[in-house]
Amino acid sequence: AALWYGRAAEAGHVRAMHNLGVLLADGLDGKPDYVGAARLFRKAAEHGLRDSQYNLAVLHTRGLGVENNLVEAYKWYSLAGKQGDADAELKRDEIAQRLQPRQLGEARKATDSFAQATPDPAVNEPASIETLVSVNPPAAEPRNKGGERVTLLQ
């Protein structure tokens, strides 16, 4: 799975970035790779993937693979919370209580100024049936190499 997630992530598939990040954090070779996981979660989080935003916040809260940074943790929990993650909202509020007023202002500003990257639709959105048909239209009836009609047995 890691090979295919890696190929898809390199092509820009946002969910594959997240899934590979989870595999790395869990430890593909028995040892977690939090640096690699954080890198992938960040890329997916920047594209608006809620689960990656949450996971990146956890890594910043614990200082795993990234610096322990509660301002960043607040930002990523906030962004995940804006997308309906209730647990992220609770975690954001817990972090807010640990921040100094200046840090909280900085965290809110970072949240408000976040500009989501746009995922490449060619990689991230499934093709419609219309697209599939127009790209590779089905033959009206089966034919052999000579162009003669072939009757299929059922």
Side-chain angles (χ1 to χ4, degrees):
L3 172 69
W4 292 107
Y5 283 144
R7 288 180 180 173
E10 286 175 18
H13 193 277
V14 176
R15 179 52 74 175
M17 292 174 198
H18 173 79
N19 291 345
L20 183 56
V22 170
L23 291 177
L24 291 176
D26 285 344
L28 279 174
D29 299 323
K31 181 180 176 193
D33 176 5
Y34 293 118
V35 172
R39 181 180 52 80
L40 289 162
F41 288 149
R42 178 172 303 280
K43 288 174 94 173
E46 289 171 348
H47 284 89
L49 191 65
R50 180 179 72 182
D51 294 339
S52 283
Q53 291 171 341
Y54 184 93
N55 288 356
L56 185 57
V58 169
L59 294 179
H60 274 292
T61 301
R62 297 179 182 170
L64 297 171
V66 291
E67 68 175 311
N68 178 264
N69 185 330
L70 296 181
V71 171
E72 279 291 298
Y74 179 96
K75 176 180 91 173
W76 293 114
Y77 280 134
S78 292
L79 293 167
K82 285 182 178 184
Q83 294 190 66
D85 188 321
D87 190 40
E89 290 177 329
L90 293 173
K91 299 278 189 192
R92 176 206 57 210
D93 294 345
E94 290 172 11
I95 296 290
Q97 293 175 6
R98 297 168 55 188
L99 295 173
Q100 299 295 319
R102 179 190 58 74
Q103 292 174 306
L104 184 57
E106 182 184 333
R108 288 180 174 152
K109 183 177 179 182
T111 302
D112 292 341
S113 65
F114 174 73
Q116 180 176 313
T118 304
D120 181 354
V123 177
N124 289 278
E125 296 175 10
S128 68
I129 189 67
E130 292 82 13
T131 302
L132 293 174
V133 170
S134 68
V135 171
N136 191 13
E141 53 188 35
R143 303 222 176 237
N144 66 17
K145 290 182 182 179
E148 301 167 327
R149 184 170 172 230
V150 176
T151 303
L152 300 176
L153 300 176
Q154 295 185 9

